[in-house]
């Protein structure tokens, strides 16, 4: 088991558009470590740049909220279509303690590669579609705070400043209640 440090808001890698994965051979070990990290941090999704890696790679496991679900690994993903609308409260492992109601399309069409390099394009809905959009945002340098109104953003400005200040220091958040943190 290898738990990596989750990088926090303020670290420049989280504002980068991540690079396509070309070396698929190194993925299994990396993905294993990402799952260890995500479970340790009690998240339901994790993007590679959240552990400091400039790679278009994300993992998701919403099975504790939706029993029909399983674990997912998406490589070089791209949202090709979206429709509908829903508002759900989201948290983010890179912005500890901040929860924001984020409006997003309810359904997406997502093109990606599997860990084995197989090309796929599928439609997703519900929590999984939500998680994919959150992680896909990370891989494009976008945070949940970019998805809310300027007024809401103002309300968390102080917290963001503190997180930026402490960025790089791995702090544990003991009473983080699991809702939807990715
Ligand atoms: Zn996040």
């Amino acid at each position: 088991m290898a738990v990596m440090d989750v990088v926090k808001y303020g670290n420049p890698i989280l504002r980068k558009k991540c690079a396509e994965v070309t070396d698929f051979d190194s993925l299994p070990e990396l993905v294993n470590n990402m799952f260890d990290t995500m479970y340790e941090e009690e998240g339901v999704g994790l993007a590679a740049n959240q552990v400091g890696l400039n790679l278009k790679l994300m993992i998701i496991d919403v099975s504790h909220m939706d029993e029909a679900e399983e674990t997912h690994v998406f490589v070089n993903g791209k949202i090709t279509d979206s429709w509908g609308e829903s508002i759900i409260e989201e948290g983010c492992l890179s912005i500890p303690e901040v929860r924001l109601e984020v409006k997003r399309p309810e359904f997406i069409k997502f093109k990606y590669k599997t860990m084995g390099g197989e090309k796929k394009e599928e439609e997703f809905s519900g929590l999984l579609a939500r998680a994919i959009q959150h992680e896909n945002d990370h891989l494009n340098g976008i945070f949940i705070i970019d998805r809310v109104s300027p007024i809401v953003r103002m309300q968390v400005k102080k917290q963001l400043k503190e997180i930026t200040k402490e960025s790089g220091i791995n702090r544990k958040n003991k009473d983080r209640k699991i809702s939807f943190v990715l």
Side-chain angles (χ1 to χ4, degrees):
M1 174 159 164
V3 174
M4 296 179 277
D5 283 339
V6 173
V7 299
K8 302 293 186 321
Y9 181 85
N11 187 314
I13 196 160
L14 292 173
R15 281 298 187 192
K16 261 181 106 106
K17 245 181 186 288
C18 288
E20 301 259 317
V21 172
T22 52
D23 172 17
F24 283 75
D25 293 341
S26 63
L27 287 184
E29 194 189 342
L30 181 55
V31 163
N32 260 338
N33 293 344
M34 282 177 68
F35 272 110
D36 287 345
T37 306
M38 185 180 78
Y39 294 134
E40 175 73 21
E41 297 286 330
E42 297 179 0
V44 298
L46 190 68
N49 53 346
Q50 287 185 284
V51 287
L53 298 163
N54 178 15
L55 287 174
K56 226 183 240 185
L57 163 69
M58 64 168 90
I59 59 163
I60 292 171
D61 182 357
V62 291
S63 61
H64 75 293
M65 305 169 96
D66 180 351
E67 282 179 8
E69 266 300 325
E70 50 192 29
T71 59
H72 298 272
V73 180
F74 299 111
V75 186
N76 297 343
K78 189 182 161 62
I79 294 167
T80 54
D81 199 5
S82 64
W83 61 100
E85 192 179 287
S86 71
I87 297 174
I88 295 179
E89 192 182 74
E90 295 181 22
C92 179
L93 293 176
S94 296
I95 313 180
E97 287 162 53
V98 171
R99 298 270 187 287
L100 296 173
E101 288 195 333
V102 184
K103 192 202 286 184
R104 298 186 189 272
E106 199 177 348
F107 306 94
I108 58 165
K109 201 170 194 185
F110 193 59
K111 205 166 133 178
Y112 66 95
K113 280 188 178 174
T114 64
M115 268 214 290
E118 192 190 340
K119 279 188 195 170
K120 296 214 169 186
E121 188 166 19
E122 290 173 282
E123 285 180 15
F124 295 98
S125 62
L127 288 176
L128 185 53
R130 177 60 62 155
I132 291 171
Q133 291 177 82
H134 181 113
E135 302 312 338
N136 193 59
D137 270 356
H138 274 306
L139 298 177
N140 286 303
I142 299 165
F143 288 95
I144 49 173
I145 50 154
D146 304 316
R147 296 277 183 205
V148 296
S149 71
I151 296 167
V152 174
R153 208 175 306 137
M154 275 296 292
Q155 289 163 352
V156 296
K157 209 176 154 190
K158 224 180 120 193
Q159 279 164 283
L160 292 177
K161 237 181 167 169
E162 265 165 38
I163 296 165
T164 304
K165 226 172 20 186
E166 291 178 25
S167 197
I169 299 163
N170 190 16
R171 44 180 206 151
K172 268 258 137 4
N173 173 15
K174 281 196 283 325
D175 61 352
R176 185 197 294 140
K177 264 221 325 270
I178 183 72
S179 53
F180 200 63
V181 183
L182 345 88

